[in-house]
Amino acid sequence: MDTRTLFITLPIILALSLSIGSRPPTNPSGLEKINHFIFIIQENRSFDSYFGTYPEADGIPAHVCLHGNSGRCVPPYHDKNVINRGGPHDWKNAIADIDHGKMDRFLEESYKGKTCTSLDPDCTPGLNARDVMGYHDFREIPNYWNYANLYVLQDHLFESVKSYSLPAHLYILAAQSGGYVSKSQPKPERFGFPEITELLESGKITWKYYVTEGTIPDTEDDEEVGLAPSKRQTPHLYTYWNPLPAFPAVTKAPEQFGHLVETKHFYEDAAKGNLPQVCWIIPSHEVSEHPPSNIRAGMAYVTGLVNAVMKSPNWQTSAIFISWDDWGGFYDHLAPPKWDEYGLGIRVPGILISPYSREHFIDHNTLSFESWLRMIEERFGVQPMTHRDAEAEDMVNDFDFNQQPRAPILLAATQKGSHYPHPLQTLKRSEQD
């Protein structure tokens, strides 16, 4: 499909959003025990690149081998490098990577990036076009594997849209992107469709959007992969990862605009037991895991966020959702389901951590970022915004509300992390069970 034809005018966007007409969803039994929804959104990793060899997950199949411009067949391989290059990851790249469900053009697309022209297999780590076929495991990212083992790993969580960060973050907030899906389209200056924070505000549900100050996670050129960006981000600056300043309903309402704050306030809010009922946390490049960011630095940062919640008075009523906003050009073997003309996109890792989450559990249900919205809507009685969040599978199956709240497990918030596997807990049932 020609992406130039995809942009929908504002009046039609509003009509599509408001035509759902569905009532606020019912609060599933037990979900009222969760009063703090924390969404940690990292950058640019496919499921197979992080959990393709995780036991019992829907991981890398045997005998996979893809061809690129070098003519050689490259199989998935264990990549010890903690700095990667990744590949182009716009709409056209996703369409090519998926290749009508064959999932076989990741390497070919990677060679279109401009930062590594050499076909030498010993190309410098962080500049090697072949690393889209590499995968990491507990040796590089032990804490992520520990969280998967101790809590819930979602192995069928798909990006909502077949594209890069800005459309992905719009879906995270609004269950749509207004037809904007590609850098080949003019970047919208503002958005007029509803997004979840204004609905939370109307229902007096507390929320914050935490932005980690530093450089933005990516360059603005989709072909310039494996290069560090230079532009800086702040909570009130509209970027691919923070689209809220482009929503007039947010910027023109001081009570809303004031909820866009620096991530340092997250640690303060957690320590005081003042976490909002819903929040999102956006990284800077340095800790984003977006190539060429060090994945261990990102893991340490995420662990620090999780530890802050676990040490908070709010822990027993919290649920932490960790994911990566798009696949970053990295290989994934599982063809995404086709929901509509925009998605779903390529699979990304999903982790759920809560005192009520199941232990050592893999959720095989088909999920997307709308599943996050569905959870918020169910818990707080918020009306869905589009057919996507109205019909999304929720994540209630990942919880056991009949167990006693689990004690925190604090992992080492360092680049080395904690030894894998961490011992499992002995879970106790509630007295009424």
Side-chain angles (χ1 to χ4, degrees):
M1 179 179 294
D2 186 346
T3 57
R4 291 175 296 181
T5 68
L6 291 177
F7 189 73
I8 303 174
T9 60
L10 177 58
I12 297 176
I13 292 170
L14 291 174
L16 286 173
S17 301
L18 300 178
S19 66
I20 299 302
S22 59
R23 297 178 180 178
T26 303
N27 188 346
S29 177
L31 192 57
E32 71 279 357
K33 295 182 179 180
I34 303 300
N35 201 40
H36 302 280
F37 292 79
I38 299 127
F39 301 100
I40 300 174
I41 307 165
Q42 292 294 98
E43 290 290 315
N44 289 49
R45 299 289 161 171
S46 70
F47 184 87
D48 279 344
S49 71
Y50 268 11
F51 292 100
T53 58
Y54 187 84
E56 301 180 25
D58 188 351
I60 301 169
H63 311 303
V64 170
C65 200
L66 301 190
H67 286 85
N69 291 0
S70 67
R72 288 192 297 268
C73 184
V74 180
Y77 65 94
H78 176 229
D79 188 351
K80 300 178 182 179
N81 298 309
V82 295
I83 294 177
N84 301 130
R85 172 186 182 273
H89 44 278
D90 197 4
W91 170 272
K92 63 181 180 293
N93 309 116
I95 298 297
D97 286 347
I98 295 169
D99 193 15
H100 306 284
K102 292 184 284 187
M103 310 300 287
D104 62 356
R105 291 178 59 185
F106 293 83
L107 194 60
E108 181 181 330
E109 289 299 296
S110 182
Y111 276 117
K112 293 180 180 178
K114 296 178 181 177
T115 61
C116 188
T117 57
S118 171
L119 302 183
D120 182 350
D122 296 323
C123 187
T124 304
L127 296 177
N128 192 338
R130 294 170 63 252
D131 76 7
V132 296
M133 298 303 295
Y135 62 82
H136 301 291
D137 60 20
F138 63 91
R139 288 167 285 188
E140 293 78 45
I141 47 172
N143 286 3
Y144 288 148
W145 275 52
N146 273 319
Y147 287 143
N149 183 52
L150 293 166
Y151 300 99
V152 177
L153 176 67
Q154 299 159 336
D155 69 351
H156 284 71
L157 174 63
F158 296 86
E159 183 188 357
S160 295
V161 58
K162 297 186 284 284
S163 194
Y164 78 108
S165 290
L166 177 54
H169 282 261
L170 289 169
Y171 272 86
I172 287 170
L173 293 167
Q176 65 163 302
S177 63
Y180 176 78
V181 296
S182 174
K183 291 181 181 178
S184 66
Q185 299 167 270
K187 179 183 175 182
E189 295 181 2
R190 64 186 183 90
F191 302 99
F193 45 85
E195 49 78 26
I196 192 68
T197 69
E198 59 186 283
L199 301 182
L200 296 175
E201 194 76 37
S202 65
K204 306 303 179 185
I205 308 302
T206 59
W207 65 272
K208 284 186 180 179
Y209 198 89
Y210 298 97
V211 176
T212 306
E213 290 192 355
T215 54
I216 59 175
D218 192 8
T219 66
E220 295 187 350
D221 185 337
D222 62 312
E223 301 296 341
E224 295 285 0
V225 295
L227 292 179
S230 58
K231 185 177 179 180
R232 296 191 68 80
Q233 66 180 14
T234 62
H236 292 154
L237 178 67
Y238 167 34
T239 68
Y240 295 158
W241 308 270
N242 180 18
L244 286 176
F247 283 86
V250 174
T251 57
K252 293 181 179 180
E255 68 276 10
Q256 285 220 59
F257 206 42
H259 295 323
L260 279 60
V261 299
E262 214 283 327
T263 300
K264 67 181 181 181
H265 296 293
F266 175 81
Y267 302 101
E268 296 169 357
D269 292 342
K272 294 176 182 177
N274 290 333
L275 284 175
Q277 290 169 289
V278 182
C279 68
W280 300 264
I281 309 171
I282 307 302
S284 66
H285 167 74
E286 294 79 4
V287 293
S288 68
E289 298 163 63
H290 190 301
S293 174
N294 185 319
I295 61 174
R296 285 181 176 163
M299 179 190 71
Y301 155 80
V302 169
T303 304
L305 295 172
V306 173
N307 286 352
V309 179
M310 289 185 169
K311 291 185 287 187
S312 170
N314 298 133
W315 162 245
Q316 290 203 356
T317 56
S318 293
I320 304 168
F321 302 80
I322 305 171
S323 191
W324 289 255
D325 69 352
D326 66 55
W327 82 109
F330 291 100
Y331 172 75
D332 194 81
H333 80 277
L334 189 61
K338 183 175 175 59
W339 279 11
D340 54 31
E341 59 194 311
Y342 306 121
L344 295 175
I346 294 172
R347 195 172 54 147
V348 293
I351 295 171
L352 170 63
I353 300 170
S354 172
Y356 291 102
S357 69
R358 298 183 186 275
E359 184 177 49
H360 188 63
F361 181 73
I362 300 178
D363 185 347
H364 300 299
N365 287 323
T366 299
L367 307 169
S368 67
F369 296 143
E370 289 83 4
S371 299
W372 290 354
L373 291 169
R374 186 65 178 174
M375 295 291 291
I376 297 171
E377 292 161 356
E378 288 178 339
R379 171 61 182 87
F380 299 114
V382 176
Q383 181 173 324
M385 296 170 288
T386 74
H387 71 91
R388 281 289 200 92
D389 51 327
E391 300 169 5
E393 181 82 25
D394 65 21
M395 299 175 175
V396 173
N397 190 49
D398 296 350
F399 296 90
D400 181 353
F401 291 114
N402 292 319
Q403 71 188 16
Q404 291 187 9
R406 299 172 58 178
I409 301 176
L410 300 175
L411 302 182
T414 65
Q415 293 194 23
K416 183 178 179 181
S418 293
H419 176 76
Y420 173 84
H422 190 284
L424 298 177
Q425 290 179 305
T426 301
L427 304 187
K428 298 180 181 180
R429 309 297 294 177
S430 298
E431 292 182 4
Q432 66 263 28
D433 244 21

